[in-house]
Amino acid sequence: SASLMATRASQHALSRAGTELYLDDLGNAVPNEKLSAEKLSAEDAWISKCDLDAFAADIKALGKTLAAQQGDADVRHLNKIVCWQRACTALGVATMAMPLGPLPFNPIAVWFLSLGVLTRWTIVAHHVCHGGFDKCDTGGRYHRFTFGVGSVYRRCVDWLDWMLVEAWNVEHNQLHHYSLGEDSDPDLVERNLDNLRQMPALLAPVKYLVIAFLTVTWKWFYYAPNTFKVLSLNRMRREADPRLDKLSTQLQEDPCVVGDWHFLLGPSSLFFSNVEFFVRVLGPFFTTRFLLLPAAAAAAAAA
């Protein structure tokens, strides 16, 4: 529909928003001399004696120096990492239908497929989406404003994972890095797991079970819906959406996970529909990795 297309266009534009800190724009920052030890905890008192202007100037100068050094060597290094990542994925696909003793699955294939996904995210996509290769000659392939965004095709070709790339660009590059360790940081673990932390010691076994569950499910269970929620909230704020008045600050900052009450019931409709989330966000990765690839491997093994 026209409304859905407009929403996707808006979300694409949000992911293209500037994500780097420009030190020239920090003129309104609190002057260093106004920082007092009385307002700071003992372990943070050192910052009141730090020359923040000189520190900012040093960081800016270092950034310019490193940017000027970028060139073909960086592109060659990136292409080498991409080749290793693709090799891991290819080995995983090639071995997934090979039996390994009595096991019902091949752990070697699982390991290589997992390493391929992890490498594509943490080494390739993370650096590209931060703009690390914007000034390098990559033919436009590894540019933060085009990498994995705009269509399902670009997502599949550039970076296919549980998270929507546009959503991750907003959640990680903007909110997480600009509010690192603060309440507005969507990845603030101590806040997101506050209920778990407040459990009495008697329920320690329950804590361990929950952590064990999150260890193997967190990316699709928490990260995918929460990044998509953050993207939706960002769009609503930019468009001055009146529905924001219905959302408390706590509800906006609370983590959004698959299956929680505000995901399945009323309030989730203020962020996104379940159909949109499961089809658009989780659907492409699930269909490719858990349906198409295993089916292709089984067919090849039976041939």
Side-chain angles (χ1 to χ4, degrees), residues 52-285:
L52 298 181
D53 292 333
F55 177 73
D58 288 344
I59 293 297
K60 185 174 182 180
L62 178 61
K64 288 184 176 180
T65 300
L66 295 176
Q69 294 174 358
Q70 283 188 299
D72 293 340
D74 298 279
V75 177
R76 288 195 299 270
H77 177 73
L78 172 63
N79 289 333
K80 180 181 69 174
I81 298 299
V82 169
C83 286
W84 278 110
Q85 176 266 318
R86 289 175 176 171
C88 290
T89 301
L91 283 171
V93 173
T95 57
M96 66 167 54
M98 295 180 181
L100 191 66
L103 296 176
F105 64 95
N106 190 329
I108 296 177
V110 172
W111 189 83
F112 275 114
L113 287 170
S114 176
L115 185 59
V117 171
L118 180 67
T119 302
R120 192 69 182 183
W121 171 32
T122 58
I123 302 180
V124 179
H126 178 272
H127 297 18
V128 171
C129 290
H130 269 301
F133 296 93
D134 285 2
K135 297 180 180 180
C136 295
D137 184 10
T138 62
R141 175 70 186 278
Y142 298 104
H143 194 286
R144 61 176 164 173
F145 291 156
T146 59
F147 187 80
V149 301
S151 67
V152 175
Y153 172 76
R154 284 259 57 94
R155 182 181 175 191
C156 291
V157 169
D158 293 336
W159 176 29
L160 182 60
D161 210 321
W162 286 115
M163 305 85 67
L164 187 69
V165 182
E166 290 90 338
W168 190 80
N169 283 343
V170 172
E171 192 269 1
H172 178 81
N173 294 2
Q174 298 179 33
L175 298 186
H176 172 63
H177 276 291
Y178 281 109
S179 304
L180 197 60
E182 300 175 6
D183 287 338
S184 52
D185 179 359
D187 294 332
L188 189 61
V189 178
E190 53 266 43
R191 183 203 59 224
N192 292 345
L193 295 180
D194 183 65
N195 291 336
L196 193 67
R197 294 169 59 225
Q198 299 302 325
M199 284 185 179
L202 183 65
L203 297 179
V206 176
K207 292 185 178 183
Y208 284 113
L209 287 175
V210 171
I211 293 301
F213 170 79
L214 292 176
T215 299
V216 296
T217 65
W218 70 275
K219 194 187 283 187
W220 64 263
F221 181 74
Y222 155 72
Y223 213 29
N226 203 58
T227 53
F228 197 48
K229 167 197 158 183
V230 166
L231 176 66
S232 301
L233 278 171
N234 204 334
R235 174 181 55 82
M236 293 167 69
R237 293 190 186 101
R238 292 185 177 226
E239 297 176 356
D241 194 316
R243 292 178 297 172
L244 277 174
D245 296 335
K246 302 178 182 179
L247 299 173
S248 65
T249 300
Q250 179 178 349
L251 186 57
Q252 294 182 44
E253 294 181 350
D254 279 348
C256 180
V257 299
V258 173
D260 68 12
W261 66 271
H262 67 275
F263 179 79
L264 294 176
L265 299 179
S268 69
S269 62
L270 294 173
F271 304 135
F272 48 80
S273 69
N274 290 328
V275 172
E276 182 182 14
F277 171 69
F278 284 106
V279 172
R280 186 181 174 202
V281 181
L282 295 187
F285 186 78

Side-chain angles (χ1 to χ4, degrees), residues 1-11 235 239 276:
S1 67
S3 175
L4 180 58
M5 292 179 64
T7 297
R8 291 186 179 180
S10 174
Q11 292 174 345
R235 174 181 55 82
E239 297 176 356
E276 182 182 14

Side-chain angles (χ1 to χ4, degrees), residues 22-43:
Y22 293 95
L23 297 176
D24 289 337
D25 297 332
L26 294 182
N28 294 326
V30 177
N32 193 41
E33 60 269 15
K34 290 186 178 180
L35 293 173
S36 63
E38 290 77 21
K39 295 181 180 179
L40 298 170
S41 58
E43 61 270 21

